[in-house]
Amino acid sequence: MRLAPHAFTALAAVSVALLAGRVYQPARAEEAPVLTPAQLEILEVQAFAAAAAPAGLTAPEAIPVQIRRGETFEQAVRRTGVSDQDASAVAATVANALDVSQIRAGLRFETAVSRPRGGLGEARLIGLTMRTGPASQLTVSRSFDGALRLRALEEKVTHETMVLKGDVERSLSASARELGATASIVRAASRLFATKFDMQRDVRASDEFVLVFDRDVTEAGRTVAVGELMYAQLRGQTFYRFTPAGSKSAQYFDASGKNLRSAMMRTPLQSFRRVSSNFGVRTHPISGYRKMHQGIDFAAGMGTPVIAPADGVVVEARRWGGYGNWLRIRHANGLESGYGHLSRYGAGIRAGQRVSQGQVVAYVGSTGASTGPHLHYEIWRGGQRINPAGIRTTEGTELTGADLAAFRAEKARIDRIIAAGGERKPALQQASVDGLRPAQNEG
């Protein structure tokens, strides 16, 4: 049987009225019959109808549980309010499928619990659902004779190449997520587009975008693994992912085979509210004096990630007067970038650390002489501050020879997928498709 977790807790509620006074019986692992979607829907409706007024008990309540540090699985079950006998019984039942002593803190599962109508007596465990893998789960439910039944369920997984097409509405990120893009794909697309566009000022509502990527998805529509961003298009700019012979990593090229990797991204933030102060003479918001503002200020929420606009090496990561928490990175061609008023630094960021374009290096804050959360951004050339808005980006080389021929073949394959609206095929067991990674915390 293949069902979403809540469906099993609902089905378990059918037998509530028959449970009073029954003694726990040992678990019996069994193969679940395969039902059609229509049959499953009928059973769920019947389950809720039967559970509406169980004798002496309320309708089952779904209670999510997360195991705490130092807590056993049985102790976690007890926190739902059920009796010690019920908690022990369900732990013994689950132990038929896995070693409950090895269950670690942080594991989440869902229970269905009914409580006495008069408020007297102990709650009754009706069902439990626990995910044991990307596409597998265990369910415990009550049978009509009051025994606990254990079922191991494995969802069918399909490998898809997704083609998402849409128009930017509130933001590219929000629009892409609404169409089914995962968080990792949205981040990859945003980093890519940021090399060509100021994502806050250049991208407008109704601009069309296209994203292509691989994913493994269960029958319930849950993404369990996701591949790299294969293709992206925004405002007429196309990006094809391709790995040249001898290269250690994939790169993105335009339709002609020209490397689209810019030497310097337009902005060090993928999202911000507005430019609150440009490069040039201004009245300082704290001192009140007119003086040269040698950078650009981006108003952004506290904790907004700051990304490296180009590959480089960290020169400074320290406190520096009115700049508060300050970061300076040395790049190629005599350029350096500086960041002020940071709340904190990215993982591993310290002097001497190499960083790559698009890497999170710090987070927006309001340290030093600051009136509110924002990023002060500077560009230095030859030791002198220059206007960051005046930086001209350069692109990489064009593919030739065998690399160009291989790129054209890959481009033709991607174009066929886009024209077909995507591809679907059976996935390998447990979604272990090469090139895909678990979609943890993904949408």
Side-chain angles (χ1 to χ4, degrees), residues 24 26 33 67 82 103 158 176 212 223 250 267 274 278 284 319 324 377:
Y24 163 71
I67 296 181
V82 302
I103 295 178
T158 300
V212 180
T223 298
T267 64
R274 59 190 174 86
N278 283 301
H284 194 276
R319 192 83 177 184
Y377 177 53

Side-chain angles (χ1 to χ4, degrees), residues 200-249:
Q200 297 296 116
R201 292 178 287 185
D202 294 343
V203 180
R204 306 179 184 90
S206 78
D207 281 343
E208 184 183 60
F209 67 90
V210 181
L211 304 177
V212 180
F213 59 94
D214 290 329
R215 72 167 183 168
D216 282 349
V217 60
T218 67
E219 293 170 287
R222 191 173 58 85
T223 298
V224 296
V226 62
E228 301 294 339
L229 181 64
M230 185 186 305
Y231 171 90
Q233 180 269 321
L234 178 67
R235 301 195 66 189
Q237 183 75 68
T238 58
F239 301 80
Y240 291 87
R241 190 173 191 269
F242 176 71
T243 305
S247 177
K248 295 182 179 180
S249 60

Side-chain angles (χ1 to χ4, degrees), residues 176 223 273 287:
T223 298
R273 298 191 184 101
S287 69

Side-chain angles (χ1 to χ4, degrees), residues 167-173 193-194 196-209 234-235:
D167 293 333
V168 175
E169 293 180 1
R170 300 188 307 278
S171 68
L172 173 68
S173 176
F193 293 143
K196 298 299 173 187
F197 308 112
D198 181 326
M199 298 301 290
Q200 297 296 116
R201 292 178 287 185
D202 294 343
V203 180
R204 306 179 184 90
S206 78
D207 281 343
E208 184 183 60
F209 67 90
L234 178 67
R235 301 195 66 189

Side-chain angles (χ1 to χ4, degrees), residues 313-355:
V313 177
V314 176
V315 178
E316 295 177 311
R318 64 184 178 89
R319 192 83 177 184
W320 188 26
Y323 287 96
N325 291 330
W326 165 256
L327 173 68
R328 185 160 59 100
I329 301 174
R330 179 173 296 128
H331 308 286
N333 302 317
L335 293 176
E336 293 183 349
S337 57
Y339 315 81
H341 310 303
L342 305 170
S343 60
R344 59 190 175 96
Y345 302 103
I349 297 300
R350 61 186 180 279
Q353 178 69 39
R354 297 197 65 85
V355 296

